[in-house]
Amino acid sequence: MKSFTLTVVERRATSGELRLEAPGRTTLAKLVDVIARELGLAPGRSASIYRSGRALDQRTEFSSRLEAERPLRSVHLDRFALRAGSMFLLRYGAEPERWLELRVAAVSDAGEGEPGEGVAELCVVGREAPAARADLFTARLYDAMETPPPGSSPREIQDWLRRSHELASELLARGQAEIEALSDERGLDLASWLIDLSSDLARDGLVDEALGLAARAAEVLEHAELLADRAVILAEADRRDEALAQVEAVLAAPGLDAVRMAKCGDVQRVLGEARRAEELYRRALSLAKGEHEKELVLERLVDLLEDQGRGAEGRAFALATRGAQEWFGIAPPPAPGERDLLVPVPRVGRNEPCPCGSGKKYKKCCEREADARGELAFLTPGLDRALEHLLAEGPPPSLRAALARLHGPAFEGLELHEALPLLPHAGLEAALLDWWLMEREEQPGATLLDLYLARRGARLDPREKRVLARLGASSLGLYELEPMGPEPRLRARDLLGGRDFELDVEEVLASGAVGVQLLRLVEADSRTQAVHAGVSVRREHAAAVVAALGPRWAGLARAERAPALVQAWLDACHAAAPS
């Protein structure tokens, strides 16, 4: 059973930080009750938790409402697939509602208790007073940065936009230095909020307000991208001459980048100038720095060509630009039945919350570092994203069947949170999830990872797609790790396959320990990397496994290797145990 250390902070920073220790079997309802009690909130109010960390995201909402499809009272923390750094949101009460961020500071294995008894109780382990009570202006900013409640009427939405516009004007009057200080102090991405607000105003018919806000924000923040957004707003408002004049000003400005050039192409596309739009998109592609900018522009160009009936040309161009078909090809349409299996995951837009859970917009957070990272940086996060996506609604029946297939029929009737503490080694949890995702066929000839990549592959960073594709072709193996001279390198001898690999010590175990391990190896950045190096095997047990599987290992299908390997190891452990 896992235990989670959680920090709870109210978004308006009026109550300080609360630190909790919670066992995995804690229900969300119990968690909410304790938070409300400790922070002095009125008891018994309605509450919702959003696993994605996005406010009002109905797809991942768990609620106290009686009619809720996913009630708080019946969901445990361990169903959330939480890891250190995960963040989710709690909305408590109404008029006024309170928004609280819950972050996972640490995940640990709780101690064992007697059957039927809790291994730990939910408890408060720390509390910090707020550094300073948020002023009224900051509180109003938090309100404005939330989206209107679902079901708001058009008039209510427009009133909300007008209030937000007034607040944005007041914010810009404070000047660049104070805006940047406020952003740093409160962790707010105010520049991205101003960009988004300009677009929202224009879409709701408040074009003059949107244009004025974009121009003022570009001046105060020295943010040239806002002028390109202003050109798009003019084009969508059918103010052609003004839009083209703004485009010329953007193109003439120094330091022109791919994003601004692409938005100038958007203007031409809105105005019906497809040839000019294509020209600007191709110029933007030549200016793109890094894979994210390349993809941002390439999507626009391919969409434009498809609209012109040149879809084959667009796909061929994308293929040539991205690289090898098996890694960079445009995702094929979903196979029959796949639409029900995988919920579509939208591409992370530059103005959307960063997937890392920081609360900042992607372009102000991980995008800045993404272009400098290699494939290895995408390996674990990419695998985590795939797992969290598949586990978002709780462990599906196919995972319970996989548990029984990998560890024996005694596990077939158990829920995941009941079964994991019974595994003979903690590392087998990772082995189970990996096998279920990457080796077990969900549909004939297709694993869950295959289906995930088919649906989302064209939306992923190319490095993430490459390394996940290689990971999907790997299999669990039995390796003996031996030191190689004075350098921090290890030789991994494949005891069943007969091959040798070189590994960095720090990529295997922080302690640099050697011995026999159940490992999964994958190539990343032209080096062999170890994944989930956590299951140690005694040498005498390894010898028994090799004797049992060696003669037939090469003939086993990849999906059968992990179950056979785990079962042979468990058999060796049981045979050696004293009677």
Side-chain angles (χ1 to χ4, degrees), residues 5-13 15-20 31 35 39 48-50 52-55 85-92 98-105 142 145-146 186-189 353 357-360:
T5 303
L6 305 173
T7 59
V8 183
V9 179
E10 189 171 3
R11 279 195 160 179
R12 292 191 178 91
S15 56
E17 179 182 282
L18 182 67
R19 197 173 184 89
L20 305 172
L31 179 65
I35 291 172
L39 296 183
S48 291
I49 281 180
Y50 302 93
S52 65
R54 298 183 182 183
S86 296
M87 187 273 283
F88 51 104
L89 279 182
L90 166 61
R91 179 178 64 168
Y92 191 84
R98 310 286 285 270
W99 286 93
L100 302 105
E101 293 184 1
L102 285 73
R103 294 184 181 273
V104 181
Y142 276 112
M145 294 177 77
E146 300 292 348
R186 301 292 181 186
L188 302 175
D189 189 355
S358 67
K360 297 182 179 180

Side-chain angles (χ1 to χ4, degrees), residues 307-532:
D307 285 349
Q308 294 179 286
R310 299 160 61 191
E313 178 185 344
R315 288 189 291 274
F317 180 76
L319 186 62
T321 303
R322 288 179 173 128
Q325 183 173 4
E326 66 269 24
W327 291 341
F328 295 100
I330 297 176
E338 181 190 335
R339 189 173 302 277
D340 296 331
L341 176 66
L342 294 181
V343 178
V345 178
R347 182 186 183 90
V348 180
R350 298 182 72 239
N351 291 320
E352 293 180 6
C354 187
C356 75
S358 67
K360 297 182 179 180
K361 296 293 178 70
Y362 176 64
K363 67 182 180 183
K364 295 293 184 178
C365 191
C366 291
E367 182 192 22
R368 294 178 171 180
E369 301 178 4
D371 293 335
R373 293 181 291 171
E375 293 172 341
L376 183 59
F378 290 87
L379 178 57
T380 299
L383 185 58
D384 287 349
R385 277 190 284 271
L387 280 170
E388 289 191 9
H389 170 56
L390 294 167
L391 292 170
E393 303 297 333
S398 64
L399 181 53
R400 290 195 290 273
L403 185 66
R405 177 68 183 85
L406 193 62
H407 298 299
F411 288 89
E412 191 165 11
L414 301 179
E415 295 290 342
L416 187 63
H417 72 275
E418 298 171 325
L420 293 181
L422 303 179
L423 295 179
H425 191 292
L428 288 179
E429 176 184 346
L432 161 68
L433 293 174
D434 277 8
W435 178 76
W436 173 67
L437 176 66
M438 294 183 289
E439 297 179 32
R440 172 190 163 276
E441 291 190 354
E442 183 71 25
Q443 296 176 4
T447 65
L448 282 169
L449 185 60
D450 292 334
L451 298 175
Y452 175 80
L453 289 175
R455 287 298 303 273
R456 199 185 180 194
R459 301 169 182 264
L460 298 178
D461 186 287
R463 289 160 292 186
E464 182 173 336
K465 185 175 181 182
R466 279 201 301 267
V467 76
L468 287 182
R470 293 193 201 120
L471 191 60
S474 68
S475 59
L476 193 68
L478 186 67
Y479 297 89
E480 183 173 14
L481 306 180
E482 302 170 332
M484 295 178 59
E487 296 184 4
R489 304 284 293 171
L490 292 177
R491 176 184 288 108
R493 284 201 312 120
D494 186 350
L495 298 180
L496 292 168
R499 298 181 60 193
D500 286 358
F501 302 90
E502 292 185 11
L503 305 174
D504 290 333
V505 171
E506 59 268 24
E507 298 299 344
V508 182
L509 291 173
S511 63
V514 296
V516 182
Q517 301 274 340
L518 289 177
L519 290 181
R520 184 183 298 276
L521 302 182
V522 64
E523 181 184 311
D525 300 320
S526 300
R527 294 185 298 161
T528 301
Q529 308 292 344
V531 184
H532 295 307

Side-chain angles (χ1 to χ4, degrees), residues 30 33 81 143 216 250 287 293 315 320 474 491 513 540 565:
K30 176 66 172 177
D33 288 345
D143 286 337
R216 179 62 176 152
V250 171
L287 293 175
E293 283 192 1
R315 288 189 291 274
S474 68
R491 176 184 288 108
E540 59 268 29
L565 181 53

Side-chain angles (χ1 to χ4, degrees), residues 63-346:
S63 176
S64 64
R65 298 191 306 271
L66 293 176
E67 70 278 10
E69 294 182 4
R70 295 183 290 273
L72 295 174
R73 63 182 180 277
S74 61
V75 181
H76 298 80
L77 274 177
D78 54 13
R79 279 190 57 183
F80 267 13
L82 296 173
R83 301 175 186 273
S86 296
M87 187 273 283
F88 51 104
L89 279 182
L90 166 61
R91 179 178 64 168
Y92 191 84
E95 298 183 359
E97 61 188 12
R98 310 286 285 270
W99 286 93
L100 302 105
E101 293 184 1
L102 285 73
R103 294 184 181 273
V104 181
V107 180
S108 58
D109 291 322
E112 296 182 358
E114 295 299 323
E117 293 182 357
V119 295
E121 294 295 334
L122 176 62
C123 61
V124 177
V125 294
R127 185 191 299 273
E128 292 183 10
R133 186 175 181 86
D135 59 26
L136 180 59
F137 180 76
T138 306
R140 290 168 59 207
L141 267 179
Y142 276 112
D143 286 337
M145 294 177 77
E146 300 292 348
T147 57
S152 298
S153 67
R155 181 171 181 176
E156 288 172 332
I157 292 175
Q158 192 163 88
D159 288 344
W160 174 79
L161 285 170
R162 289 187 186 279
R163 291 195 300 271
S164 298
H165 177 250
E166 292 173 1
L167 189 64
S169 300
E170 184 179 345
L171 175 67
L172 291 170
R174 298 189 173 206
Q176 182 181 23
E178 187 168 342
I179 293 173
E180 291 178 352
L182 186 60
S183 297
D184 293 339
E185 177 185 347
R186 301 292 181 186
L188 302 175
D189 189 355
L190 295 174
S192 294
W193 173 63
L194 291 168
I195 292 174
D196 293 343
L197 180 58
S198 298
S199 299
D200 291 342
L201 288 165
R203 278 194 294 267
D204 211 65
L206 302 174
V207 177
D208 290 335
E209 289 87 344
L211 293 171
L213 178 62
R216 179 62 176 152
E219 177 186 357
V220 172
L221 301 180
E222 300 177 0
H223 202 305
E225 186 180 335
L226 275 158
L227 294 179
D229 287 310
R230 190 173 188 273
V232 175
I233 292 170
L234 285 165
E236 290 176 343
D238 202 24
R239 293 163 64 167
R240 183 184 184 89
D241 292 343
E242 293 174 82
L244 292 175
Q246 185 71 70
V247 165
E248 293 304 316
V250 171
L251 294 177
L256 186 63
D257 58 20
V259 175
R260 279 180 281 163
M261 180 75 77
K263 290 188 175 182
C264 289
D266 293 344
V267 172
Q268 301 290 350
R269 187 176 180 182
V270 170
L271 296 177
E273 302 291 340
R275 181 173 298 180
R276 176 62 172 158
E278 180 179 343
E279 175 190 338
L280 292 175
Y281 287 154
R282 292 183 183 273
R283 287 173 60 188
L285 197 59
S286 69
L287 293 175
K289 296 179 180 179
E291 297 296 339
H292 179 77
E293 283 192 1
K294 181 191 293 185
E295 281 295 311
L296 181 147
V297 178
L298 192 56
E299 283 187 356
R300 285 170 155 88
L301 179 56
V302 170
D303 285 345
L304 176 67
L305 294 176
E306 288 184 347
D307 285 349
Q308 294 179 286
R310 299 160 61 191
E313 178 185 344
R315 288 189 291 274
F317 180 76
L319 186 62
T321 303
R322 288 179 173 128
Q325 183 173 4
E326 66 269 24
W327 291 341
F328 295 100
I330 297 176
E338 181 190 335
R339 189 173 302 277
D340 296 331
L341 176 66
L342 294 181
V343 178
V345 178

